[in-house]
Each structure stands twice: as C-alpha cells, then as structure tokens.
C-alpha cells in the first residue's frame, strides 16, 4: 500500500517529535529556585550531576526481619523490628560526576563495581576524602549528609542497597555542608 504525501509527512514528523520530546526530557532540570528567590534562611540544596542509575528493584519485608548467623569466628546479626523496604539501584558516575549532598532514611550498603568513588561526610570538619575502588564497600547509616564524587577521568559504577521505612523516599536532598569547598 502506497502512502500519500500527507501520510509520508506524518510518518516523518511523528518520530522526530518523539525524538525531540525524549531529548527535552533527558535534559537536566533545575532543582533549586533562581537566585532571586533565596533568602538568608533558605537552605541551598546541591543537585547531583553526571550521575545516573535505574532502580533495579524495591520490595517490602512486611514484618521486619532478623538475620543472625555464625560461621566459625565470623558472625553477623541484623535486626529490623518493623516493616522494611529493601531497594537496589545501579549507579554510574561519569568522570567528574557527583551525587550532590544528601542523606537517606535508613542504612545504605554500596559496592563499587568499577572505577573509583570518593565520599565526603558533612559531619567531618576536615572534609577528609574516603576513597573506595572496585570491589570495596561504602557503608553509611543514612543519618547525616554526605556526597559521592568521581574525581577521575574514567566512569565509575556501583550497586547500592538501601534499607528504608516502607514507601519512604530513598534519597533526601540536603544543603551544602559548609565543611567542604565544593
């Protein structure tokens, strides 16, 4: 079946329109108000950049859970008394990418799967870098603000497991800590 000139036009325009819409949606969005809307009391949240990652899965353990295991001298004991969400996310830090200052509603265990990620804690007055490379793990309680940065020229990847109250946001944006110059 041959298409008319008008139908051929639509067949050309529709894919182009979807491509333009997809490009517009993928552009980074401004996450803070323009400078003129800030007052002296307004927290200045820091947006991440060069960081992306899909949520691989999230589920709820409805009655909480207790895991206790001893194997020779090695022992582990984890106890969640209340219902708990467990979420897993794959993260990709572009060279120079960073998470922005943030916290979490519960603990996070992050395995660096390739490259190097450097972490900074808001409650560390000296802004001491904590460098983690492929195969190393970064564990955080989620109670205070922190930032992860890829300070190298190559991509870094990680898998993060977050434990949180059911339905809670997995990331809480925080204002810049003031202890670090970035």
């Amino acid at each position: 079946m041959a298409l008319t000139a008008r139908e051929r036009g639509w067949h050309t325009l529709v894919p182009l329109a979807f491509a333009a819409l997809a490009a517009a949606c993928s552009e980074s969005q401004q996450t803070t108000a323009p400078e003129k809307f800030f007052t002296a009391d307004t927290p200045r949240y820091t947006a991440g950049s060069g960081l992306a990652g899909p949520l691989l899965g999230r589920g709820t353990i409805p009655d909480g859970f207790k895991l206790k295991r001893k194997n020779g001298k090695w022992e582990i004991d984890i106890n969640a008394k209340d219902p708990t969400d467990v979420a897993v996310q794959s993260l990709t830090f572009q060279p120079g990418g960073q998470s922005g200052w943030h916290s979490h509603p519960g603990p996070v265990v992050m395995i660096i799967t390739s490259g190097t990620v450097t972490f900074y804690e808001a409650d560390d007055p000296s802004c001491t870098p904590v460098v983690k490379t492929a195969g190393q793990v970064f564990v955080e309680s989620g109670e205070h603000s922190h930032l992860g940065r890829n300070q190298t020229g190559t991509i870094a990847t990680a898998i993060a497991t977050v434990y949180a109250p059911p339905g809670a946001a997995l990331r809480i944006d925080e204002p810049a800590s003031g202890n670090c110059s970035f």
Side-chain angles (χ1 to χ4, degrees):
M1 179 172 111
L3 297 175
T4 66
R6 183 176 182 176
E7 290 170 327
R8 281 192 304 272
W10 281 111
H11 282 264
T12 303
L13 288 177
V14 170
L16 290 174
F18 278 112
L21 180 61
C25 290
S26 69
E27 293 291 320
S28 63
Q29 299 292 317
Q30 185 174 348
T31 59
T32 57
E35 191 67 31
K36 67 181 181 180
F37 295 109
F38 283 112
T39 66
D41 298 341
T42 304
R44 294 179 185 243
Y45 297 99
T46 57
S49 64
L51 174 63
L55 183 64
L56 300 176
R58 181 174 181 161
T60 303
I61 302 171
D63 299 321
F65 64 98
K66 183 173 177 93
L67 297 172
K68 187 171 186 171
R69 176 75 195 269
K70 187 171 184 177
N71 186 354
K73 293 183 177 185
W74 179 84
E75 186 174 344
I76 190 166
D77 189 357
I78 302 172
N79 187 10
K81 295 179 182 180
D82 297 312
T84 301
D85 273 9
V86 179
V88 177
Q89 184 175 16
S90 173
L91 299 168
T92 300
F93 291 82
Q94 295 298 321
Q98 52 89 20
S99 66
W101 290 98
H102 68 283
S103 61
H104 301 281
V108 177
V109 176
M110 181 184 291
I111 303 166
I112 309 305
T113 53
S114 70
T116 302
V117 180
T118 304
F119 297 92
Y120 297 90
E121 304 291 335
D123 63 351
D124 175 11
S126 64
C127 191
T128 305
V130 176
V131 179
K132 298 292 182 177
T133 60
Q136 294 183 323
V137 177
F138 181 70
V139 179
E140 55 190 272
S141 68
E143 291 179 296
H144 60 274
S145 180
H146 57 276
L147 176 136
R149 298 177 75 177
N150 179 354
Q151 299 176 168
T152 74
T154 60
I155 290 175
T157 59
I159 300 291
T161 302
V162 182
Y163 300 88
L170 299 177
R171 174 194 163 102
I172 303 160
D173 289 332
E174 300 284 358
S177 70
N179 64 323
C180 297
S181 62
F182 44 86

